[in-house]
Amino acid sequence: MKVNHDVVFEQKQKAASEAVKHVKDGFIVGLGSGSTAALAITALGERIKNEGLKIMGVPTSYQAFLLAVECGIPVTTLDEHPVIDVTIDGADQLTPELFLIKGGGAALAREKIVASSSKQNIIIGDEKKKVDFLGLNNQFVPIEVLPFALSPVNHQLFRLGGKTVVREGIRKLGPVITDNGNIVLDVVFGEIKDPVKLQLTIKMIPGVVEVGLFVGLTDIAYVGTSCGLEKIEKSRK
Ligand code: 5RP
């Protein structure tokens, strides 16, 4: 299928613009990673410049940190602010239940820590991110692994039925090294009928730092579509 990049960009932009309306004066904001989250960070920078919005951001990656600084968003840490008011982030796939696959930018561990520390989590994306089941279309699940444990974890994931690939750098030879000094395995499981169970099983493997399955963390998703914007809301209680 041919992808029209202008259309996808417009959909991401619509979702990002809506999400940043949730941010109020005095908020601590989790700043997600990836191209869609970057639009939200940029939009927050605009609100700071135009409205004098007073916020501080907790970046989920070095990418988000650099962009926040460029956009004039004061940055803080989880040590200073362990509770975040709202986090805005992207996703690789999302379902109507608001189950997610994340980690396309290898930031899954920090993204999940920040999401788990947030009172509200908003996910933004374009319509091709929305699926009935996670894992459709051969979407891989990113798994961050301690380098020491790479081979045994790889073996265990193979036994679980996963097809694993070590994520390689682009214009850098060898594996991608995460912001935490780890390696990412991209694992295709096919259709994931029970993401809760799969997440728990993988998390139990020694050496697994984090799994890119996000369940029960998201409150709202804004999905830009060809005719507007879809809002999906779930109660986490
Ligand atoms: C980074 C992520 C991203 O949010 C996810 O990969 C979506 O990225 P994009 O908005 O560029 O499609 O999880 O680790």
Side-chain angles (χ1 to χ4, degrees):
M1 195 174 61
K2 202 164 174 291
V3 178
N4 183 331
H5 293 286
D6 289 345
V7 170
V8 172
F9 177 84
E10 220 174 274
Q11 293 181 359
K12 290 177 177 181
Q13 186 67 68
K14 276 190 264 189
S17 303
E18 196 60 30
V20 299
K21 292 182 186 165
H22 288 260
V23 177
K24 300 196 175 74
D25 250 346
F27 267 22
I28 304 298
V29 184
L31 305 174
S33 301
S35 60
T36 320
L39 297 174
I41 295 174
T42 306
L44 285 171
E46 293 294 317
R47 285 196 58 195
I48 290 173
K49 271 187 222 108
N50 300 335
E51 302 165 30
L53 179 75
K54 290 195 172 36
I55 57 166
M56 294 188 91
V58 178
T60 54
S61 63
Y62 192 50
Q63 177 225 14
F65 168 76
L66 290 177
L67 185 59
V69 170
E70 193 185 314
C71 294
I73 302 174
V75 289
T76 183
T77 62
L78 283 175
D79 298 313
E80 290 163 302
H81 294 98
V83 180
I84 292 172
D85 293 295
V86 62
T87 289
I88 303 171
D89 204 346
D92 300 302
Q93 279 191 338
L94 67 103
T95 70
E97 297 82 16
L98 295 185
F99 298 151
L100 317 175
I101 290 179
K102 285 187 51 56
L108 60 152
R110 293 188 188 204
E111 287 172 330
K112 199 180 273 188
I113 293 165
V114 168
S116 306
S117 310
S118 300
K119 293 185 208 164
Q120 187 180 44
N121 283 301
I122 302 174
I123 291 296
I124 51 179
D126 54 276
E127 64 188 344
K128 71 179 186 333
K129 303 289 178 67
K130 213 180 133 204
V131 290
D132 290 333
F133 291 102
L134 296 181
L136 279 179
N137 313 321
N138 283 324
Q139 172 64 48
F140 54 80
V141 178
I143 299 176
E144 183 165 342
V145 182
L146 278 180
F148 181 75
L150 183 61
S151 293
V153 170
N154 202 8
H155 182 67
Q156 298 266 13
L157 291 168
F158 176 74
R159 287 182 56 173
L160 284 175
K163 292 192 188 75
T164 65
V165 172
V166 175
R167 192 179 299 181
E168 296 279 330
I170 294 173
R171 303 220 292 164
K172 183 256 177 204
L173 298 174
V176 163
I177 303 297
T178 69
D179 289 354
N180 314 306
N182 298 314
I183 289 176
V184 175
L185 281 171
D186 288 327
V187 190
V188 174
F189 290 101
E191 236 172 75
I192 300 170
K193 289 281 162 53
D194 191 345
V196 179
K197 188 171 166 208
L198 185 62
Q199 174 187 231
L200 289 175
T201 307
I202 296 171
K203 282 277 303 199
M204 289 305 291
I205 302 172
V208 167
V209 175
E210 199 45 85
V211 188
L213 293 167
F214 284 48
V215 285
L217 284 172
T218 306
D219 303 281
I220 297 173
Y222 287 114
V223 181
T225 65
S226 45
C227 41
L229 190 68
E230 184 183 357
K231 180 180 186 183
I232 310 169
E233 212 164 349
K234 284 276 166 260
S235 166
R236 278 203 275 163
K237 297 282 167 309

